[in-house]
Amino acid sequence: MIFENEFDRELANCINETAKGHSRNCARSAIHHIEMAWEIKDIDPEMAVFRSITAEEEAATAVFLALKERGY
């Protein structure tokens, strides 16, 4: 994983250790999209932007699914 700081690494670890079900899959997918966007940003900036937007959508979905799974 490509992370700039300790907070990002801890957040990814927290997702892997505590998240469950579909929300976990969405959160991990968001991380994957950000990693891929970062790798291709200089080669194909348009695709990197698309991947970043997709990551944001996956992250939002993960939050709402986690809330739903916890009964909110």
Side-chain angles (χ1 to χ4, degrees):
M1 290 185 220
I2 302 170
F3 295 113
E4 295 268 333
N5 57 47
E6 186 64 25
F7 177 78
D8 294 342
R9 285 187 288 276
E10 287 299 317
L11 182 60
N13 288 336
C14 181
I15 289 168
N16 286 326
E17 293 173 5
T18 62
K20 295 180 174 112
H22 194 61
S23 61
R24 177 183 179 183
N25 293 337
C26 288
R28 292 175 73 190
S29 179
I31 291 170
H32 176 71
H33 281 295
I34 288 294
E35 288 175 338
M36 293 297 104
W38 190 255
E39 284 188 28
I40 66 170
K41 67 180 174 45
D42 296 325
I43 301 166
D44 189 354
E46 292 85 5
M47 187 61 191
V49 168
F50 181 77
R51 283 216 179 240
S52 298
I53 292 168
T54 303
E56 188 274 334
E57 291 291 330
E58 289 283 357
T61 300
V63 169
F64 284 108
L65 286 172
L67 289 171
K68 188 176 177 181
E69 289 167 359
R70 287 161 177 77
Y72 288 99

